[in-house]
Amino acid sequence: MEGRQERVSNLIESEQALGPQPNSPSVGKIVDPQQPPSEEYSAVTKAEKIERHSTTDSDEERSLKRVKLEPSNDLEVQEEAPARIERQKGVTPIKAEFLVHAPGTGTSKGSAAADANAVEGSRDPERPADSRDSRRKGKPKGQNFNRDFGTSKDEIGLCQSRTHAPEFSPTECRFGDGCVYEHDLRKYLKEWKREDLVTFDGICPIWKAKGRCNVGWKCRFVGSHMTERDVGEGRKELVLLENESCSGDGSSEVGILNSISTQAKVDLLKRRMATPKTDEYSKWLETNGREIERRFHHDSNRDRVQDSNANAENENGTDRKSEMHDNRARYTEPPFLPSEKRRIYFGPETPVLAPLTTQGNLPFRRLCVDLGAQITYSEMAMSMPLVQGQKSEWALLRAHESEAEPPAYHPSSQSPSQSTSNSSPRLGYDNARDLRFGAQIAANKPWPALKATEILTRLCPHLRVIDLNCGCPIDLVYRQGAGSALLDQPAKLEKIVRGMNAVSGEIPITVKIRMGTKDHKPTAERLVDRLVHGGPDPAGVEHGTSGTAAITLHGRSRQQRYTKNADWSYIASCAALVERHRARADALGDTVREPDPRTQPASGEVYFLGNGDIYSPGAYRSALAASGVSSIMLARGALVKPWLFEEIARGQPLDKSASERLAYIERYARYGLETWGSDEMGVGTTRRFLLEWLSFAHRYVPLGILEHRAPSSSSSTFPFPEPSLQDRPPRWRGRTDLETLLGSEDHRDWIRISEMFLGKAHPGFRFVPKHKSNSVEIEAEG
């Protein structure tokens, strides 16, 4: 591996251009174009220019960052740095010597929302129709819908009966001569399997880490763990080798947690897995609901109701009180109370990696944990597919063993909200029992949410919490009544959370919400109040708190998605509400009005987290101090620069070089192969998700090329401006050709970057960024 690192280091030396080197014949192959440029985009890409010209002087030969600009005929590079100019709102301030066009000619207007919405979907169904929509009728829909990634597989695959067997001792194929796959091992290796990869020193990452490659002869590094042995009579047999220096047992699940068996999935599919707690609780919900429905929604004598209301007014409310007592008498207690929960902790030293659709996969979470992420979440999993045992949905809940380690815990550190609390939230907290990984699910009804929760509790022992998603703005999820649709149904949401808390065993339940569904009509404050205090049901019966252990608020509405800035002042007001509840609960301690401890969160309080637009350690500290939240959840900021967690831990921004950033990409590629396999399909899957990440990572503007603060306006100890996720840069060039390449907006350059570690892309592989499909509609949204 040291040889590989030395070769990569020579390729990406910060003072050296990324061009063909006399002693590095592989460089030309790495950056060789995959295919000729298409007619609609005939410009020479950065990787091609770097390959042809390791050092260029003319502007047309330089690799430029492509962004959408206002029309301008003058894009000449400035030869002399002008005087310092005032920072423009929404524009990343870049030093003059790295600019490629005159300031003021425009930035990539509209791309902020396009990139931001890439994770979540496209058009808001409630946005009024625009006249421009009519011009788009009949045109192809955006790439967010039915995106086609082509194929990445062998032309003719090897039969599964030969995949792990020696050449002369294969297992019997049940299809015999009718099998459509290749049975001749040597013919498969020579004609149908693509050539071995030479990256990672030509050694299979799976074989090196786990002792045995789980894809056998299909591995793109098979030459590193195969040999030819003499079996006598002049015959030689091909056999697979095991890595004797590795302590692993060769299982494909080494280092992987929460991986359920095939039999468990079959039992779920055939409805053979019992969920007694859910069945009993659901029956109680149904019975109680029927009683409420009969009592309040099917009263045939409306006149009598109106008369009784009038009498209640005249008789000082005596009839109304009697009615309330009658309702309470009819009320049936739940069949059981929640079990005692494991105590958890959120604090300033525990920045949280948010659940991220598509990008929040296991390799990316593993990379973020390496760089300092203290708490991670799975991608959002839908409850019904989990209950039905769908393999793709259960794959989202797999975690790496590094996510089972305890998060950081510094008792001396306190958030502003905790500093005023009389009862320490750390009372009884055992950091050694805590872990980092939590699962997030979405549901539109209590039954699937409860059933999924009980199944997760049984089959996935390594879960910190189970989080209910109430903020997903995706149209498909919203129309089904899940995600952010629950924000408009607080009674249903409370019922779901209360039920999940009852069946989850010792695993705490948390909730992630948005400000509301509509712009300028926030409802989160009332929702937070209901989740923390608990609300009455239609019969007027108070149940106490819902039992949620933590609430995370994203400071945007569903209609905003990711446009405009997150409203941290609203987050602060909700955090203050939670703090007032905490103070009131402390005051009621040891009195007859003290809440039932069996219904309270195990930590003695509800943690409150904020989320939105945190992109620097300074912004993290400022948001903590100003809002009073317990901790902060990071989403797009971590996608653009995963080392944001490292910056927060060190308390200062870091100017990562291009070589360091490329090393992170190499690490992601290795983690991807270990997760999805090193065969042709696994390499293709790794490449696809690597490109999904690069569609965000390319937006990073190196700290070293940012314009320094003016001394008079500096309010920070750092000489650089605080970067913002909403800012967009003008055209810029990096300090090296590699740095410029890593900032390319051309997805074909991203493919070439992936080829540095995953080899030439399969001829059938295709990739189009998600945000390309949203740019027009989001710009129309304003």
Side-chain angles (χ1 to χ4, degrees), residues 270-321:
K270 296 186 177 182
R271 301 181 181 180
R272 293 196 301 235
M273 184 170 292
T275 52
K277 288 185 177 181
T278 297
D279 296 341
E280 190 175 356
Y281 201 91
S282 298
K283 184 178 180 180
W284 171 79
L285 284 176
E286 185 178 354
T287 302
N288 202 41
R290 281 201 304 266
E291 175 62 26
I292 293 173
E293 184 79 11
R294 186 192 67 80
R295 179 67 179 166
F296 291 95
H297 299 288
H298 294 284
D299 196 334
S300 59
N301 193 350
R302 295 185 179 180
D303 293 336
R304 184 179 61 81
V305 173
Q306 293 174 358
D307 292 342
S308 65
N309 289 339
N311 292 335
E313 228 180 285
N314 296 332
E315 299 175 11
N316 298 323
T318 55
D319 288 349
R320 184 176 182 84
K321 290 180 180 178

Side-chain angles (χ1 to χ4, degrees), residues 206 210 256 362-363 366 398 670-677:
I206 302 176
K210 303 179 180 181
I256 302 298
L362 191 152
R366 187 177 172 186
R398 300 199 309 165
R670 184 188 302 111
Y671 290 166
L673 294 175
E674 292 180 16
T675 302
W676 294 303

Side-chain angles (χ1 to χ4, degrees), residues 411-479:
S412 59
S413 66
Q414 281 193 333
S415 67
S417 63
Q418 295 166 350
S419 61
T420 60
S421 177
N422 294 327
S423 61
S424 171
R426 302 172 184 83
L427 184 63
Y429 171 68
D430 185 359
N431 182 251
R433 288 191 62 207
D434 204 356
L435 60 160
R436 305 186 185 204
F437 178 73
Q440 187 186 67
I441 64 173
N444 60 353
K445 296 177 182 178
W447 176 82
L450 270 61
K451 202 171 185 70
T453 299
E454 186 173 357
I455 293 171
L456 282 172
T457 304
R458 183 185 309 170
L459 299 181
C460 299
H462 298 91
L463 289 180
R464 184 178 202 256
V465 298
I466 298 177
D467 186 76
L468 178 65
N469 183 302
C470 304
C472 178
I474 296 177
D475 298 340
L476 180 62
V477 176
Y478 179 80
R479 290 167 183 165

Side-chain angles (χ1 to χ4, degrees), residues 44-102:
V44 181
T45 61
K46 293 179 183 175
E48 292 169 321
K49 293 176 180 177
I50 291 172
E51 180 187 0
R52 298 175 188 177
H53 310 282
S54 60
T55 304
T56 63
D57 293 323
S58 70
D59 300 323
E60 293 182 353
E61 293 174 341
R62 282 190 177 274
S63 299
L64 306 181
K65 184 173 180 64
R66 296 185 177 88
V67 294
K68 201 181 298 180
L69 296 173
E70 300 288 347
S72 175
N73 296 325
D74 184 14
L75 295 177
E76 296 183 359
V77 179
Q78 299 175 345
E79 299 296 337
E80 297 182 1
R84 185 187 302 273
I85 60 176
E86 292 295 329
R87 179 173 179 177
Q88 301 178 34
K89 183 178 180 180
V91 179
T92 305
I94 295 179
K95 292 179 181 179
E97 58 265 33
F98 296 102
L99 292 175
V100 184
H101 68 93

Side-chain angles (χ1 to χ4, degrees), residues 134-153:
S134 59
R135 296 198 296 267
R136 291 195 292 269
K137 288 183 178 179
K139 294 185 178 180
K141 300 295 183 182
Q143 288 89 343
N144 269 346
F145 300 93
N146 300 321
R147 295 170 69 205
D148 182 12
F149 298 98
T151 58
S152 295
K153 60 182 182 181

Side-chain angles (χ1 to χ4, degrees), residues 359-418:
Q359 283 86 356
N361 46 62
L362 191 152
F364 181 75
R365 296 197 312 268
R366 187 177 172 186
L367 175 63
C368 288
V369 169
D370 290 348
L371 296 174
Q374 297 302 316
I375 297 171
T376 62
Y377 285 91
S378 71
E379 299 178 59
M380 181 186 71
M382 300 302 294
S383 294
M384 278 305 298
L386 288 176
V387 172
Q388 294 167 348
Q390 289 189 14
K391 180 179 179 181
S392 59
E393 213 71 15
W394 279 99
L396 302 177
L397 301 175
R398 300 199 309 165
H400 187 257
E401 59 185 359
S402 62
E403 297 178 275
E405 298 175 359
Y409 176 54
H410 307 311
S412 59
S413 66
Q414 281 193 333
S415 67
S417 63
Q418 295 166 350

